[in-house]
Amino acid sequence: MSTSRIPMVPLDEMPAALRDAIAQGRANRMLSSSRPVQVWAHRPALAQAWLELMTGFYRDSLLDERLRELLRLKIASITTCHACQLARKSDAVSEEDIACLATDSERFTPAERAALRFAELFAGDYMAIDDGHYARMEEFFSPAQVAEINMFCALMLAGGRMTYVQQAY
């Protein structure tokens, strides 16, 4: 375990609402660790808002749990966030799935492959995303789902990079 670059706020010094949000996030597997939130807690209202946004993706998603977890892990493999890579937030994704995560693997459905390819480019080569990638996604997903995939990828990319840079894992 590394030392965070920004001091962590002890859990008992956080506002009760933020402690409760952490406990709820840990209970529903949205959070695998409180460490990143303990850094964000220097700005408790913003930390609370971040957690509420994350909760929305896990509570009201148009995407199934397996796809969200595959996308999260694909982005974690690119950001190299240790906490993100080690966390398991769904039993719908096996260790064999995680060992592969190749966007052309037959282990994944065509819809999963399209979404994984999008996530890979979103996190690693976003300038390469073109209309063809959106057309491929629209073969499998509604416009609302495509929008959610974009937003989820953005949140996972930002969170993973922030956690890595802060060494809050």
Side-chain angles (χ1 to χ4, degrees), residues 18 21 36-53:
L18 189 52
V37 185
Q38 287 179 258
V39 170
W40 310 340
H42 288 284
R43 298 284 291 147
L46 297 177
Q48 185 79 37
W50 187 284
L51 292 178
E52 287 171 13
L53 178 59

Side-chain angles (χ1 to χ4, degrees), residues 126-147:
Y126 66 94
M127 297 293 284
I129 296 174
D130 60 22
D131 292 344
H133 292 99
Y134 277 92
R136 180 76 174 138
M137 296 251 289
E138 289 169 358
E139 291 177 30
F140 307 105
F141 303 106
S142 71
Q145 288 173 310
V146 172

Side-chain angles (χ1 to χ4, degrees), residues 76-147:
S77 74
I78 294 165
T79 63
T80 67
C81 172
H82 302 290
C84 303
Q85 288 175 313
L86 295 174
R88 299 296 179 262
K89 300 182 182 208
S90 170
D91 295 330
V93 175
S94 70
E95 290 303 313
E96 291 79 18
D97 292 330
I98 296 165
C100 174
L101 281 182
T103 59
D104 61 351
S105 173
E106 294 297 319
R107 126 172 260 101
F108 304 115
T109 68
E112 290 170 342
R113 288 195 300 267
L116 283 167
R117 179 65 178 145
F118 181 84
E120 178 178 66
L121 291 174
F122 192 98
D125 189 12
Y126 66 94
M127 297 293 284
I129 296 174
D130 60 22
D131 292 344
H133 292 99
Y134 277 92
R136 180 76 174 138
M137 296 251 289
E138 289 169 358
E139 291 177 30
F140 307 105
F141 303 106
S142 71
Q145 288 173 310
V146 172

